[in-house]
Structure formats: structure tokens, C-alpha cells
Amino acid sequence: VAYGGSYGGFMVLSAMTEYPDLWAAGVDVVGIANFVTFLENTSDWRRSLREAEYGSLEDDREFLEEISPSNNIEHIAAPLFVLHGENDPRVPVSEAEQIVEDAREQGVPVRKLIFPDEGHGFSKLENRIEAYSAVVEFLDEHV
């Protein structure tokens, strides 16, 4: 199982699109699905910081599109669970919505859990209990 959060969530999606035969399932927590939409939907003050790390929309758009899991979604062969906080200031929740929609269109079994009262991760105990219990249920079902 590929499991990760934030940049690790991107790595889950990337691993599932680049090496689909290796995974029985994937769990993406607050991950980036598409670097172009991530940068376009990130606040201006954060965009310059993120472009310094990932590449710029102006100079590196083609590369960013190429490595974005949502643009390679047809390769995912395993069930996917996507968890996100609706108020995430680092990775917009639209990244979760996008990958869920794209995977469902490809016929991938997908579960989505969005917490309306969380941000970049899960700070509230009741949400952590719900999230990790749901992950266990998902893995019990698919692995």
C-alpha cells in the first residue's frame, strides 16, 4: 500500500500512476494531484515560494503537466482513498476533488473523506479517530 500526506500524498498518486502494478491500494492525505492547478489555486504569496520549489507556471508548465498524477490517471489500477481538510491553506481541497473525480471517471474504486473543520492534516482528535478508522476499513476491504 502506498500511503502518504502532503508531498507524500503526491508521491502516493505518482507511485500509483507510474508503477500501477506494485500497489494493492493507495491512501492520499492532503496531496497535490496536479502541479499546475495547485499553483494556479494557491494564494499569490505562497505561489512564489512553491514555484521556487517545484518550478514556475511560466517556465515549467509542460514539465509540471507531465508529472501531475491527474494527467496520468488512466494508469491507476488499485483502489484509492483520498482524505483532505476543506480549509487547507497549503494544498487547496480542489486537488482532492479533482483526483477523486478523475479516478472515478476511469472506473477506479475511490473513497473520499473531506473534513469541513480541518486544514492541512487533522488536528482534532475526533477527526483523527474517524480518518484512521476509515483508512483501516478501506484497507481491510481492499488489501
Side-chain angles (χ1 to χ4, degrees):
V1 172
Y3 181 106
S6 193
Y7 188 73
F10 159 74
M11 292 306 297
V12 166
L13 299 172
S14 184
M16 292 182 74
T17 57
E18 294 297 320
Y19 303 100
D21 297 336
L22 295 180
W23 309 106
V27 180
D28 160 28
V29 182
V30 300
I32 297 168
N34 183 305
F35 279 103
V36 171
T37 58
F38 164 73
L39 290 169
E40 287 175 342
N41 294 317
T42 297
S43 58
D44 290 340
W45 71 271
R46 281 190 53 83
R47 184 176 305 117
S48 63
L49 299 171
R50 298 292 65 92
E51 284 185 328
E53 187 174 355
Y54 301 130
S56 75
L57 288 171
E58 184 178 328
D59 298 330
D60 304 300
R61 182 179 288 268
E62 186 177 323
F63 170 72
L64 294 170
E65 291 281 6
E66 182 181 316
I67 65 167
S68 292
S70 66
N71 292 334
N72 299 296
I73 196 76
E74 71 278 3
H75 299 295
I76 290 184
L80 176 63
F81 191 4
V82 177
L83 300 95
H84 215 102
E86 192 170 314
N87 304 309
D88 191 334
R90 295 182 185 168
V91 178
V93 70
S94 57
E95 292 297 299
E97 299 289 356
Q98 175 184 172
I99 200 69
V100 166
E101 182 179 327
D102 291 347
R104 283 185 178 150
E105 286 177 6
Q106 293 295 318
V108 174
V110 181
R111 181 164 180 194
K112 173 179 76 170
L113 182 55
I114 306 293
F115 290 96
D117 57 347
E118 292 285 7
H120 193 69
F122 314 122
S123 62
K124 297 180 179 172
L125 179 60
E126 62 272 13
N127 290 344
R128 286 185 297 195
I129 291 170
E130 182 180 350
Y132 298 130
S133 296
V135 168
V136 169
E137 291 170 12
F138 174 80
L139 295 176
D140 277 347
E141 180 181 349
H142 294 289
V143 180

